[in-house]
Amino acid sequence: VYTTTATGATVNFPSVWHGTYTIAVSKVGYQTYTQSNVSISGETYSHPLITLLVSNIGFADNFENQTSFSLTMNNWTLVDLDQSATYGISGVSWENAYAAQAFIVFAPGETSPALTSIEMLPNSTKMAACFASTTPPNNDWMISPRFTAGPNTMVKFQARSHNDTYGLERIKFGVSTNANPTPNDMTIISAGSYVDVPVAWTEFEYSLSAYNGQQVSFGINCVSNDAFVLYIDNVEVTGVNSIDDP
């Protein structure tokens, strides 16, 4: 897989093997463009101009405008049900490290020293992070603002485990129709008892079409059992009828 961040009409991928590829172009707030069966056989490849279509996004957060290392986040309700202190990273310090918390606005480039080795999404400097509880398992929630779901409403977000040394991170995804949503009234719509989160950034996608016409909130629940760190980024809700002012 070859990835890069485009800064103009031309991108450079050095040392690409000849073969057949799928080209994907994505940007927060726009529909992802995908073209399959692209043959690369020469020194250069010229693709027709790509125009990204604006997504019907009712709510989105890439956490770049959130306050670094804050235990609260604008537009989100964070709930720490396990009430446990958390693990940190040896030899690295940041505000609220080791404190009891649900999710934290984590900015690896602003820690002391900076954690430059952590894999981030393109153009990302911050993300939501849930650190392992010292008395596992985790039971931590981030709950969205309310919005009116439509027939094609989708929730998408990117997530990854810091590593799998102590096991993969685990999440659940729930939906609430209550005016003041809490973890107790979330209906879990993700598969199984929990979903394992890979080490590589992975897109998770959930349809809320069953809630067409209803006011809903969704929640991402970290239920990891003595793992390490769960990262969440680029949350998007598309296809909504309306969204409440948070």
Side-chain angles (χ1 to χ4, degrees), residues 17-188:
W17 288 93
H18 290 171
T20 301
Y21 294 88
T22 295
I23 293 177
V25 181
S26 62
K27 179 178 175 62
V28 173
Y30 293 82
Q31 299 177 30
T32 298
Y33 170 90
T34 304
Q35 176 66 56
S36 303
N37 299 316
V38 175
S39 178
I40 305 296
S41 58
E43 293 297 320
T44 62
Y45 170 77
S46 179
H47 192 84
L49 180 66
I50 296 170
T51 300
L52 298 183
L53 300 177
V54 176
S55 292
N56 180 17
I57 295 177
F59 171 71
D61 198 349
N62 60 11
F63 304 99
E64 295 301 303
N65 293 324
Q66 302 283 1
T67 302
S68 299
F69 308 117
S70 174
L71 302 184
T72 61
M73 301 180 192
N74 294 331
N75 303 325
W76 295 93
T77 300
L78 305 183
V79 185
D80 176 16
L81 289 181
D82 59 71
Q83 292 290 296
S84 171
T86 53
Y87 287 104
I89 298 175
S90 179
V92 183
S93 61
W94 63 87
E95 185 180 1
N96 292 317
Y98 302 100
Q101 57 195 260
F103 285 80
I104 185 172
V105 181
F106 197 58
E110 298 177 36
T111 59
S112 181
L115 289 165
T116 56
S117 63
I118 292 182
E119 180 187 352
M120 307 286 288
L121 289 173
N123 300 318
S124 177
T125 63
K126 301 179 186 179
M127 53 196 169
C130 184
F131 281 79
S133 298
T134 57
T135 54
N138 283 71
N139 191 2
D140 300 300
W141 286 84
M142 52 189 305
I143 300 174
S144 76
R146 297 180 80 211
F147 53 89
T148 302
N152 301 306
T153 298
M154 301 292 296
V155 178
K156 301 178 183 181
F157 58 90
Q158 297 277 343
R160 66 173 289 251
S161 297
H162 181 87
N163 58 34
D164 59 2
T165 303
Y166 307 103
L168 293 173
E169 306 297 329
R170 301 171 177 178
I171 60 171
K172 297 179 181 181
F173 183 88
V175 182
S176 172
T177 57
N178 281 16
N180 297 296
T182 68
N184 290 336
D185 53 58
M186 287 282 171
T187 298
I188 302 301

Side-chain angles (χ1 to χ4, degrees), residues 156-237:
K156 301 178 183 181
F157 58 90
Q158 297 277 343
R160 66 173 289 251
S161 297
H162 181 87
N163 58 34
D164 59 2
T165 303
Y166 307 103
L168 293 173
E169 306 297 329
R170 301 171 177 178
I171 60 171
K172 297 179 181 181
F173 183 88
V175 182
S176 172
T177 57
N178 281 16
N180 297 296
T182 68
N184 290 336
D185 53 58
M186 287 282 171
T187 298
I188 302 301
I189 66 170
S190 50
S193 301
Y194 56 81
V195 178
D196 284 323
V197 179
V199 172
W201 281 108
T202 302
E203 183 176 79
F204 291 81
E205 181 176 282
Y206 294 95
S207 171
L208 301 189
S209 60
Y211 296 88
N212 180 27
Q214 300 182 64
Q215 287 189 308
V216 298
S217 300
F218 67 85
I220 302 171
N221 181 204
C222 177
V223 291
S224 303
N225 188 11
D226 205 18
F228 194 14
V229 195
L230 167 69
Y231 299 125
I232 303 286
D233 207 350
N234 285 7
V235 182
E236 290 187 354
V237 184

